[in-house]
Amino acid sequence: MRCFLFLALALTTGLAAPAGATPVAVQQDTPVRVAAPPQDVAARLLAAHNVERAGVGTAPLRWDAALAAEAGVWARELVDSGRWEHDPARHGHGENLWTGWGNRIWTPEEMVGEWTDEKRHYVHGAFPNVSRTGNWTVVGHYTQMVWRGTTHVGCVIATHGDRSVLACRYAPPGNINGDRAY
């Protein structure tokens, strides 16, 4: 796994690179297994989204605390009830969900990375014709992450026992029929 430290910092802080500076790549052979301090989780989730958005040329997302609070209500409902479904409430925002089980700690980058991995099935086209498989749902998390019209995101990770749930809300929502992700 390669992390471009300056790029991630620039995306999350809005800093510009010093003149003549080049990104520094750091090789990390194994995923980090230590939970991030709570104050760092939001920044890491946002950076994971924005690194992928930068790669396809869409503007970086901005963090939205109200979206995070909304996502948190649903994440807690899912983890506490054991259910697994999108929020049936008409909240008007896009939604990505991720869950993991097992006696381990999932990093924010691993969680968002599973959505990013969907790009291997992505084909550039008008939604819903965006998947090599013919089924847009295999790339729906990815397209929502990089959707050019989306400007804000808020996410929460909820845990119960050995289960973790990540819920992210996006505004304006993506995956609009007839539009392109980027």
Side-chain angles (χ1 to χ4, degrees):
M1 173 186 302
R2 293 195 184 275
C3 301
F4 292 93
L5 296 179
F6 188 80
L7 177 61
L9 287 172
L11 289 171
T12 59
T13 64
L15 295 175
T22 57
V24 176
V26 176
Q27 182 69 37
Q28 184 178 7
D29 293 326
T30 58
V32 177
R33 297 292 180 217
V34 177
Q39 67 273 20
D40 292 342
V41 171
R44 289 172 66 185
L45 289 166
L46 181 62
H49 279 78
N50 284 338
V51 165
E52 187 60 31
R53 290 176 67 87
V56 300
T58 53
L61 295 173
R62 292 183 301 265
W63 189 260
D64 187 304
L67 289 174
E70 184 181 287
V73 170
W74 189 241
R76 180 55 48 202
E77 171 66 26
L78 291 175
V79 80
D80 287 346
S81 70
R83 294 183 5 236
W84 186 245
E85 62 187 273
H86 282 283
D87 189 345
R90 295 191 176 271
H91 46 70
H93 301 123
E95 178 178 68
N96 276 353
L97 299 174
W98 175 94
T99 193
W101 294 268
N103 191 17
R104 62 170 291 209
I105 295 171
W106 300 89
T107 68
E109 295 81 7
E110 287 173 315
M111 294 172 182
V112 174
E114 288 193 18
W115 298 334
T116 302
D117 287 345
E118 293 176 358
K119 75 179 169 185
R120 72 180 185 269
H121 298 296
Y122 175 77
V123 293
H124 196 63
F127 193 85
N129 302 312
V130 292
S131 172
R132 295 183 200 295
T133 70
N135 179 0
W136 71 266
T137 63
V138 300
V139 298
H141 300 103
Y142 174 72
T143 53
Q144 175 58 83
M145 281 179 52
V146 299
W147 198 262
R148 69 178 171 215
T150 299
T151 59
H152 291 79
V153 66
C155 306
V156 168
I157 300 169
T159 60
H160 184 241
D162 72 343
R163 183 177 182 210
S164 295
V165 170
L166 167 63
C168 291
R169 296 283 170 92
Y170 302 85
N175 296 344
I176 308 297
N177 284 341
D179 286 351
R180 292 180 181 268
Y182 53 88

